[in-house]
């Protein structure tokens, strides 16, 4: 759509000349002769910038400007002031005009001021859109017991500066948790630097994490800062840490112990202040037993464990998440929101979501694109992989057979979470239903990284 400018001037000569110049510049131009006509035109929208004369019969330029502001019209305003009338120009700026040009009008000056005003407006709009997008992306949606609990754990962990190890299957929201921890911490204005340890080839990971000096190896043509250093004063997020080689683990451990990094080929260790968050979809205790993960690193990273439950364990969140993503894609594609028929919601709730929230998000995007009407029917979801419906467990379960101990832990943890959910977080009733002492339940929860619910009920807090 063309940028549209409205000229408000009572002199036909000025309207005509200015319209011609601005059309030549590629703008769409409309013109009116009074403040009243300007206000009237603005009710219909579609104007990006107003060129407003100060001297107008009837309602003058400044009065028109303050009316526009009262109505929160977001068009940019450039004022034309009489020669030497600085006082009203200053008042106009205070009222929110972008700038003013003096009569007699210099074409160049006028075009330049208009261009700058439009640029600023565009930047502001982009900024707002970006911020809104970031905010939306950073909301952990869901009101299930498991989700409220997760948000609470995140809120407690965030301000502590402690290391957080985030567990969860693929697509459960581990990235989102890490970003939220950073956003709620005192480091929120510092950098958030993400490193996907599984995606970087082994030969490059050390240089990526710690940097290198020029000439350290073939191809190192210049000094390069590592991610730990880039994240100084902020947070580094080591994603898929379970895939890091044992050799690199040893180096990371040193950084955690000594709070210094040494670039590949460098000599002087550099002190850094970087908070470390890590995430994995692997069962690290099993990796440790298999000799693939260092136990000492595990203990260093696991200061605050956070478990992100799979989507199938919090089915009640599915409708809310579906709506959330629907709104996101409607905005992104500039389309209207589609609503789900109850039968479609039932299908979404019944599906086991092996790819968790990420898969749900992809499905909603697909529906936004593929479904022509404004209602989504159960039949529109026929493409959901029926074989997954029959699959009993998580498909991303670690390769190989779990030990009896692991299997029992994972079953117990799921059972406790489910019972807590059923009992709305009430510890005493949960303990009763499970047939254990309350203190015993507490110990188990602590071992499994399940934080007790707070403020949900009037229960006493003692252990
Ligand atoms: N509770 C949630 N509320 C809103 N969006 C979520 C939630 N959990 C995950 N998402 C979204 O789902 C997608 C996958 O999440 P992500 O954090 O990348 O998962 P993981 O890192 O565990 O694989 C992302 O687009 C993320 O924003
Ligand atoms: Mg991730």
């Amino acid at each position: 759509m063309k940028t549209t400018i409205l000229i408000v001037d009572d002199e036909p000569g000025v309207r005509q000349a200015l319209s011609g110049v601005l059309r030549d510049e590629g703008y769409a131009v409309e013109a009116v002769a009074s403040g009243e006509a300007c206000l009237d035109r603005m009710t219909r929208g579609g104007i990006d910038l107003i060129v407003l004369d100060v001297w107008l019969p009837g309602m003058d330029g400044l009065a028109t400007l303050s009316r526009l502001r009262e109505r929160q019209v977001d068009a940019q305003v450039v004022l034309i002031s009489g020669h030497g009338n600085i006082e009203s120009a200053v008042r106009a700026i205070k009222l929110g005009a972008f700038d003013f040009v003096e009569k007699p009008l210099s074409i160049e000056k006028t075009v330049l001021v208009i261009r700058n005003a439009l640029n600023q407006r565009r930047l502001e709009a982009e900024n707002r859109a970006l911020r809104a997008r970031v905010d939306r992306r950073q909301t952990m949606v869901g009101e299930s017991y498991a989700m409220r609990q997760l948000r609470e754990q995140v809120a407690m962990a965030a301000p502590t500066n402690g290391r957080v190890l985030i567990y969860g299957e693929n697509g459960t929201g581990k990235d989102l948790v890490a970003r939220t921890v950073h956003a709620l911490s005192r480091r929120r204005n510092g950098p958030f630097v993400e490193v996907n340890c599984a995606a970087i080839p082994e030969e490059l990971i050390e240089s990526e994490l710690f940097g290198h000096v020029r000439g350290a190896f073939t191809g190192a043509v210049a000094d390069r800062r590592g991610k730990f250093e880039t994240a100084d004063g902020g947070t580094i997020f080591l994603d898929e840490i379970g895939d890091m080689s044992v050799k690199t683990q040893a180096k990371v451990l040193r950084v955690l112990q000594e709070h210094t990094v040494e670039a590949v080929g460098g000599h002087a260790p550099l002190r850094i202040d970087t908070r470390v968050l890590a995430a994995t979809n692997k069962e690290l205790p099993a990796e440790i037993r298999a000799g693939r993960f260092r136990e000492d690193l595990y203990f260093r990273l696991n200061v605050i464990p956070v478990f992100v439950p799979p989507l199938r364990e919090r089915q009640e969140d599915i409708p809310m998440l579906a709506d959330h993503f629907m709104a996101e894609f409607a905005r992104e594609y500039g389309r209207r929101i589609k609503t789900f028929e109850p039968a479609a919601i039932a299908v979404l709730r019944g599906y086991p979501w092996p790819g968790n929230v990420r898969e749900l998000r992809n499905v909603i995007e697909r529906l936004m694109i593929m479904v022509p009407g404004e209602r989504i029917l159960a039949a529109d979801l026929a493409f959901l992989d029926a074989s997954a419906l029959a699959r009993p467990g998580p498909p991303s379960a670690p390769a190989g057979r779990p030990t009896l101990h692991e299997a029992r832990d994972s079953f117990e943890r799921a059972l406790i979470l489910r019972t807590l959910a059923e009992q709305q977080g009430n510890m005493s009733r949960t303990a009763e239903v499970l047939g254990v002492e309350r203190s015993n339940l507490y110990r188990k929860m602590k071992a499994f990284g399940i934080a007790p619910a707070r403020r949900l009920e009037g229960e006493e807090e003692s252990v």
Side-chain angles (χ1 to χ4, degrees):
M1 216 172 57
K2 246 187 185 180
T3 303
T4 307
I5 297 176
L6 177 66
I7 299 170
V8 189
D9 200 306
D10 58 323
E11 289 175 55
V14 172
R15 289 203 301 272
Q16 217 166 34
L18 205 49
S19 297
V21 169
L22 293 175
R23 283 202 184 98
D24 289 346
E25 289 291 316
Y27 301 115
V29 183
E30 297 179 25
V32 293
S34 70
E36 290 85 350
C38 166
L39 292 177
D40 185 46
R41 171 63 192 80
M42 289 312 288
T43 57
R44 279 179 290 127
I47 301 290
D48 299 289
L49 181 141
I50 304 170
V51 182
L52 182 62
D53 191 11
V54 170
W55 294 106
L56 291 169
M59 189 189 302
D60 72 9
L62 289 177
T64 309
L65 182 57
S66 48
R67 282 301 168 75
L68 289 171
R69 289 300 162 231
E70 278 164 25
R71 294 187 192 175
Q72 312 210 324
V73 168
D74 78 336
Q76 203 58 290
V77 175
V78 169
L79 225 65
I80 305 177
S81 74
H83 179 64
N85 198 344
I86 293 299
E87 201 184 315
S88 57
V90 169
R91 273 178 55 211
I93 302 289
K94 282 195 178 141
L95 280 168
F98 174 74
D99 203 349
F100 62 92
V101 280
E102 277 182 340
K103 271 183 180 174
L105 293 177
S106 132
I107 291 187
E108 270 150 54
K109 172 97 203 285
T110 310
V111 167
L112 188 70
V113 166
I114 287 174
R115 207 177 286 152
N116 288 342
L118 287 167
N119 260 337
Q120 182 193 291
R121 182 167 186 270
R122 188 176 48 78
L123 286 176
E124 277 170 5
E126 277 173 12
N127 231 318
R128 262 197 310 274
L130 272 176
R131 216 171 306 131
R133 205 183 158 112
V134 167
D135 287 349
R136 258 197 315 282
R137 294 239 154 141
Q138 278 192 355
T139 3
M140 294 164 57
V141 174
E143 288 305 326
S144 62
Y145 175 73
M147 221 31 228
R148 279 186 291 162
Q149 180 156 82
L150 180 61
R151 269 199 299 268
E152 189 158 321
Q153 274 182 293
V154 165
M156 283 195 289
T160 63
N161 222 17
R163 294 178 192 138
V164 180
L165 185 51
I166 307 160
Y167 297 91
E169 291 174 17
N170 283 330
T172 47
K174 298 187 295 297
D175 270 63
L176 189 59
V177 166
R179 283 170 203 283
T180 312
V181 167
H182 175 72
L184 296 178
S185 76
R186 279 188 299 265
R187 296 168 174 263
R188 70 179 74 86
N189 294 321
F192 177 86
V193 178
E194 181 172 353
V195 184
N196 187 333
C197 305
I200 302 168
E202 175 60 26
E203 323 82 76
L204 295 182
I205 186 129
E206 283 177 27
S207 142
E208 184 82 16
L209 289 174
F210 314 119
H212 63 243
V213 297
R214 187 174 151 208
F217 49 85
T218 329
V221 291
D223 287 3
R224 177 156 184 243
R225 269 165 31 118
K227 300 271 177 161
F228 270 102
E229 194 184 338
T230 313
D232 195 18
T235 305
I236 192 170
F237 173 43
L238 302 173
D239 200 2
E240 315 275 12
I241 188 116
D243 293 281
M244 186 180 272
S245 75
V246 175
K247 179 164 161 261
T248 310
Q249 288 172 32
K251 306 223 161 154
V252 169
L253 179 66
R254 251 211 358 244
V255 176
L256 299 190
Q257 283 167 338
E258 292 163 20
H259 302 279
T260 58
V261 285
E262 203 165 329
V264 178
H267 306 291
L270 183 76
R271 255 206 109 63
I272 48 151
D273 167 34
T274 301
R275 183 183 193 182
V276 179
L277 311 178
T280 182
N281 59 5
K282 295 204 163 140
E283 302 277 350
L284 288 186
E287 295 295 301
I288 292 169
R289 271 193 301 280
R292 286 189 295 261
F293 205 85
R294 292 185 64 123
E295 190 166 25
D296 43 8
L297 178 59
Y298 171 72
F299 284 121
R300 289 267 170 186
L301 291 171
N302 199 37
V303 177
I304 308 173
V306 169
F307 294 87
V308 190
L311 189 53
R312 63 184 171 281
E313 282 180 16
R314 43 181 162 123
Q315 284 178 340
E316 60 269 48
D317 287 339
I318 290 172
M320 200 182 275
L321 281 164
D323 286 342
H324 172 74
F325 293 132
M326 181 55 80
E328 177 185 336
F329 289 119
R331 257 182 307 256
E332 188 163 329
Y333 289 99
R335 299 221 196 146
R336 287 161 79 110
I337 285 173
K338 300 182 196 297
T339 51
F340 297 89
E341 291 282 318
I345 290 285
V347 173
L348 291 177
R349 287 188 64 142
Y351 182 71
W353 300 108
N356 292 296
V357 184
R358 178 173 300 121
E359 185 183 8
L360 174 62
R361 184 168 180 271
N362 291 343
V363 164
I364 304 300
E365 180 170 21
R366 174 170 171 163
L367 292 171
M368 174 50 87
I369 296 168
M370 304 298 288
V371 175
E374 302 212 337
R375 301 196 75 76
I376 290 167
L377 314 175
D380 294 320
L381 290 159
F383 64 86
L384 284 180
D385 181 9
S387 64
L389 289 165
R391 227 168 7 224
S396 56
R401 189 183 294 273
T403 63
L404 187 59
H405 185 76
E406 282 159 11
R408 199 183 53 215
D409 277 2
S410 119
F411 178 80
E412 277 189 17
R413 185 166 187 279
L415 184 66
I416 291 174
L417 274 172
R418 202 173 70 218
T419 314
L420 277 168
E422 283 161 7
Q423 302 302 329
Q424 265 91 51
N426 184 308
M427 297 276 298
S428 308
R429 280 202 305 271
T430 302
E432 204 179 301
V433 170
L434 292 173
V436 294
E437 292 289 326
R438 200 161 165 275
S439 57
N440 195 354
L441 176 63
Y442 247 120
R443 246 195 324 277
K444 289 265 177 204
M445 286 171 62
K446 205 165 168 203
F448 295 143
I450 305 172
R454 284 158 205 272
R455 295 184 292 275
L456 284 178
E457 39 166 336
E459 255 193 328
E460 75 279 17
E461 265 306 325
S462 68
V463 177

